[in-house]
């Protein structure tokens, strides 16, 4: 109750300060309250977690966006855009009728400033803008900006469509100073969180963020006068708040709560699927560079043996409540070039087969892990005791698996995998951390394995980049996303081929080969694609959609579709 009372107090304070006029029958402001995950900074250069993207998409606008089919471009802050024949020069024609929320006019200078500074300083959009040459960005005239990209690469337009445009007159004082890193220390306030978007920033702390409708928004309006993003609600509190009407929606509820939600006539449950995957990432970084993983993980056969101990279909049913699709590819069925490894690849390792543990043991013994802790041959008594295996060099198969403490389904999955691995002589120690702590360990390369969900895009290039190395260019230290430290020259070569070819059939062929390589090398164990069981209070709100339209399981509450739905939903009181 303490948490709910705090939320009520915050909203009452907002009413008094804003004097909002809503559209409900008693002339009170209309709220849309949604539960997300962990909080993050709302600073557009510093925030990078899921909750930050929600704020960015509502406070700021982008240059353009894709329509519901994800085939056509709808211009927002631009009137139009030209691309040179070689795909390397972009000319942007900026609208001259848009104002920032503080009354200043949006100019070509703002767009140029965003395109110059985002690649260099933004935590959230570094990858999306990595193809832009900041030094090439130029204001041609008061309504025209031009820039060059390093490569005519697939996926770039989709990345560019998500970049929030920020005001130069607010952020230039930090980024043009002698200490541009001071931008990361800026605490968001209504005075500096100035956008052109549908909502204005009002306040934020670690428990919630409050946004106020921008009634002068150029692109339409919303039935919700106030949006409250609620963070860190425990599973039981979240479900209770949905049932009582204190929440209007939730990005996700646990599988165990789905039946309760479906039984409530006031709630609708919609399944959303990201363009990414759920997986177990291995630490394959160079130990001499400070990585702390058990060196046995550097043996591909060991990783394959662990993969044999992952019963994907069983996990989908038992750990994830049937809400998802078990899979072994880093692309999913929504993605361009998806290859169904389980159905088509002769090298598939079936963790659901009756002999999966025996096959894992055969791989481990072939790799020399035939001894117990006493240096004696690993025998039946060791297997009965589920003792950890060793090789002649003293390497053992004891590993640390880190998971996020608030993800109940991942916890169940980890426990089931731990049990299967123990039967093969593989020890798994599970540690549970909040997201920030877990990421601090992975950033420091101080882990063996961890469960993570990677989001993505319709275009598969980003997912492919998760495993590209190219002399460290794509490593975390090089501002990339290859967190595992995996490196394969053949894969890197194919990565660039798929990135540059504009022949759809050729690209699909290359992507198929890349998926096979990653499956064989196992830098990640891909668990599959698990649905977000997303909830909406359908007694109060209607007209929401899953996007993109072509997908049977698009996201109703990802940050971009959330904004779309706020513009299109109808409020019923």
């Amino acid at each position: 109750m303490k948490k709910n009372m705090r939320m009520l107090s915050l909203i009452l304070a907002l009413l008094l300060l804003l004097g909002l006029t809503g559209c409900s029958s008693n002339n009170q402001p209309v709220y849309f309250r949604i539960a997300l995950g962990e909080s993050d900074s709302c600073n557009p250069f510093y925030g990078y977690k899921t909750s930050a993207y929600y704020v960015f998409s509502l406070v700021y606008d982008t240059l353009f966006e894709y329509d519901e089919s994800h085939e056509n471009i709808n211009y927002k802050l631009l009137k139009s855009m030209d691309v040179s024949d070689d795909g390397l020069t972009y000319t942007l024609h900026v609208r001259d009728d848009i104002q920032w929320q503080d009354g200043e006019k949006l100019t070509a200078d703002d767009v140029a400033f965003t395109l110059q500074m985002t690649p260099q300083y933004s935590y959230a959009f570094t990858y999306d803008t990595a193809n832009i040459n900041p030094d090439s960005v130029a204001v041609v005239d008061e309504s025209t900006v031009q820039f060059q990209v390093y490569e005519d690469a697939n996926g770039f337009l989709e990345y560019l469509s998500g970049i929030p445009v920020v005001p130069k007159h607010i952020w230039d004082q930090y980024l043009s100073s002698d200490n541009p890193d001071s931008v990361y220390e800026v605490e968001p306030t209504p005075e500096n969180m100035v956008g052109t978007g549908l909502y204005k920033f009002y306040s934020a702390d670690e428990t919630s963020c409050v946004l106020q409708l921008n009634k002068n928004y150029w692109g339409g309006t919303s039935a919700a006068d106030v949006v409250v993003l609620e963070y860190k609600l425990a599973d039981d509190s979240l479900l209770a708040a949905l049932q009582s009407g204190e929440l209007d929606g939730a990005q996700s509820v646990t599988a165990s709560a789905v039946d309760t939600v479906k039984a409530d006539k006031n709630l609708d449950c919609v399944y959303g699927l990201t363009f990414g995957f759920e997986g177990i990432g291995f630490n394959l970084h160079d130990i001499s560079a400070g990585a702390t993983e058990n060196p046995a993980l550097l043996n591909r056969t060991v990783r394959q043996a662990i993969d044999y101990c992952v019963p994907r279909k069983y996990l989908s049913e038992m750990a994830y409540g049937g809400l998802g699709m078990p899979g072994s590819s880093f692309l999913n069925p929504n993605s361009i070039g998806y290859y169904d490894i389980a159905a088509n690849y002769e090298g598939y390792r079936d963790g659901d087969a009756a002999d999966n543990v025996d096959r894992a043991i055969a791989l481990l013994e072939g790799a020399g892990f035939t001894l117990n802790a006493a240096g004696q041959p690993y025998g039946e008594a060791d297997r009965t005791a589920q003792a950890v295996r060793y090789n002649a060099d003293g390497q053992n198969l004891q590993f640390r698996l880190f998971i996020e403490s608030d993800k109940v389904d991942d916890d169940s999955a980890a426990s089931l995998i731990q049990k299967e691995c123990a039967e093969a002589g593989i020890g798994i120690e599970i540690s549970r951390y909040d997201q920030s702590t877990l990421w601090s360990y992975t950033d420091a390369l101080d882990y063996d394995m961890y469960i993570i969900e990677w989001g993505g895009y319709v275009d598969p290039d980003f997912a492919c980049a998760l495993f590209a190395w190219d002399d460290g260019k794509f490593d975390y230290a090089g501002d990339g996303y290859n967190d595992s430290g995996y490196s394969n020259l053949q894969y890197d070569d194919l990565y660039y081929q798929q990135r540059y070819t504009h022949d759809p059939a050729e690209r699909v062929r290359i992507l198929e080969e890349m998926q096979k390589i990653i499956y064989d090398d196992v830098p990640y164990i891909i668990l599959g694609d698990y649905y977000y069981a997303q909830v909406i209070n359908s007694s109060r709100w209607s007209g929401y959609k899953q996007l993109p339209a072509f997908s049977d399981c698009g996201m109703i509450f990802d940050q971009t579709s959330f904004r779309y739905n706020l513009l299109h939903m109808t409020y019923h009181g």
Side-chain angles (χ1 to χ4, degrees), residues 51-371:
S51 59
Y53 284 91
Y54 275 74
V55 176
F56 301 156
S57 70
L58 296 182
V59 173
Y60 302 100
D61 281 315
T62 56
L63 298 172
F64 59 89
E65 64 185 4
Y66 283 92
D67 65 6
E68 296 178 40
S69 68
H70 204 271
E71 292 179 353
N72 305 303
I73 284 177
N74 292 331
Y75 288 107
K76 295 178 68 179
L77 298 185
L78 298 183
K79 292 182 290 187
S80 62
M81 174 174 60
D82 302 317
V83 184
S84 61
D85 290 341
D86 62 5
L88 298 178
T89 302
Y90 285 71
T91 303
L92 313 180
H93 304 284
V94 182
R95 291 178 58 165
D96 57 9
D97 59 345
I98 305 292
Q99 286 189 334
W100 294 102
Q101 293 163 355
D102 62 2
E104 296 284 337
K105 182 181 177 181
L106 170 78
T107 68
D109 282 332
D110 296 309
V111 172
F113 175 79
T114 298
L115 295 175
Q116 288 170 331
M117 298 305 176
T118 299
Q120 301 177 79
Y121 296 106
S122 170
Y123 273 33
F125 300 99
T126 301
Y127 181 87
D128 307 75
T129 54
N131 195 25
I132 296 174
N133 178 357
D135 294 333
S136 73
V137 180
V139 175
V140 178
D141 57 43
E142 62 182 13
S143 63
T144 309
V145 175
Q146 194 170 80
F147 68 91
Q148 277 77 48
V149 294
Y150 295 113
E151 306 162 333
D152 179 18
N154 290 316
F156 175 69
L157 275 181
E158 186 175 359
Y159 304 148
L160 187 62
S161 71
I163 307 304
V165 176
V166 299
K168 181 178 181 180
H169 67 274
I170 299 290
W171 297 99
D172 189 45
Q173 60 183 308
Y174 306 105
L175 294 172
S176 296
S177 69
D178 293 336
N179 179 26
D181 286 349
S182 65
V183 73
Y184 304 130
E185 300 171 4
V186 176
E187 290 295 326
T189 67
E191 290 70 35
N192 59 38
M193 286 289 292
V194 174
T196 60
L198 178 62
Y199 284 86
K200 298 179 180 180
F201 177 85
Y202 180 75
S203 66
D205 60 25
E206 64 179 10
T207 64
S208 62
C209 175
V210 180
L211 303 173
Q212 171 194 359
L213 181 65
N214 177 11
K215 295 186 177 181
N216 297 318
Y217 184 55
W218 61 271
T221 192
S222 169
D225 296 298
V226 181
V227 170
V228 182
L229 309 177
E230 280 285 314
Y231 308 134
K232 297 182 179 179
L233 283 177
D235 294 331
D236 55 349
S237 299
L238 190 156
L239 183 58
L242 286 166
Q243 292 177 304
S244 69
E246 291 179 77
L247 285 175
D248 296 285
Q251 187 190 28
S252 65
V253 297
T254 61
S256 60
V258 169
D259 288 341
T260 301
V261 169
K262 286 183 174 180
D264 192 321
K265 63 181 178 59
N266 294 320
L267 301 176
D268 275 358
C269 187
V270 183
Y271 299 143
L273 184 69
T274 66
F275 292 90
F277 62 84
E278 186 95 2
I280 302 176
F282 290 110
N283 185 356
L284 307 181
H285 288 270
D286 191 340
I287 293 174
S288 66
T292 66
E293 77 268 19
N294 181 335
L297 283 180
L298 303 179
N299 186 325
R300 184 178 79 161
T301 303
V302 170
R303 302 195 299 272
Q304 290 177 339
I306 297 172
D307 185 37
Y308 255 127
C309 297
V310 176
R312 290 172 174 81
K313 294 178 183 177
Y314 186 71
L315 289 178
S316 180
E317 292 298 322
M318 300 304 295
Y320 295 99
L323 300 180
M325 299 178 294
S328 299
S329 170
F330 61 84
L331 300 182
N332 70 37
N334 283 335
S335 301
I336 297 169
Y338 168 72
Y339 178 70
D340 189 340
I341 286 174
N344 300 310
Y345 189 40
E346 61 182 13
Y348 178 62
R349 297 178 293 275
D350 189 356
D352 291 285
D355 63 346
N356 69 316
V357 172
D358 291 334
R359 289 180 177 272
I361 290 172
L363 285 176
L364 294 173
E365 290 182 343
F369 288 90
T370 59
L371 305 176

Side-chain angles (χ1 to χ4, degrees), residues 20-72:
L20 294 173
T21 300
C23 41
S24 62
S25 59
N26 59 3
N27 207 34
Q28 293 298 308
V30 175
Y31 310 104
F32 192 99
R33 291 159 288 197
I34 180 173
L36 301 179
E38 189 170 328
S39 63
D40 191 15
S41 171
C42 299
N43 180 324
F45 287 93
Y46 192 52
Y48 64 96
K49 296 177 184 175
T50 300
S51 59
Y53 284 91
Y54 275 74
V55 176
F56 301 156
S57 70
L58 296 182
V59 173
Y60 302 100
D61 281 315
T62 56
L63 298 172
F64 59 89
E65 64 185 4
Y66 283 92
D67 65 6
E68 296 178 40
S69 68
H70 204 271
E71 292 179 353
N72 305 303

Side-chain angles (χ1 to χ4, degrees), residues 294-450:
N294 181 335
L297 283 180
L298 303 179
N299 186 325
R300 184 178 79 161
T301 303
V302 170
R303 302 195 299 272
Q304 290 177 339
I306 297 172
D307 185 37
Y308 255 127
C309 297
V310 176
R312 290 172 174 81
K313 294 178 183 177
Y314 186 71
L315 289 178
S316 180
E317 292 298 322
M318 300 304 295
Y320 295 99
L323 300 180
M325 299 178 294
S328 299
S329 170
F330 61 84
L331 300 182
N332 70 37
N334 283 335
S335 301
I336 297 169
Y338 168 72
Y339 178 70
D340 189 340
I341 286 174
N344 300 310
Y345 189 40
E346 61 182 13
Y348 178 62
R349 297 178 293 275
D350 189 356
D352 291 285
D355 63 346
N356 69 316
V357 172
D358 291 334
R359 289 180 177 272
I361 290 172
L363 285 176
L364 294 173
E365 290 182 343
F369 288 90
T370 59
L371 305 176
N372 59 24
Q376 300 300 311
Y378 196 94
E380 194 60 36
D382 297 306
R383 182 167 182 178
T384 301
Q386 298 184 343
V388 171
R389 290 177 176 271
Y390 286 73
N391 66 12
D393 295 327
Q395 284 186 352
N396 63 51
L397 299 181
Q398 180 68 47
F399 306 109
R400 301 164 293 163
L401 173 60
F402 294 173
I403 62 173
E404 290 185 30
S405 53
D406 64 342
K407 292 193 173 181
V408 177
D409 299 340
D410 285 353
D411 198 314
S412 299
S415 296
L416 291 170
I417 293 168
Q418 179 188 50
K419 181 178 180 296
E420 292 281 302
C421 283
E423 295 180 12
I426 303 168
I428 302 292
E429 178 186 355
I430 302 172
S431 295
R432 300 161 179 86
Y433 301 104
D434 63 72
Q435 187 182 76
S436 296
T437 302
L438 191 154
W439 286 5
S440 70
Y441 277 110
T442 58
D443 287 348
L445 310 182
D446 185 13
Y447 70 103
D448 291 322
M449 309 149 62
Y450 78 118

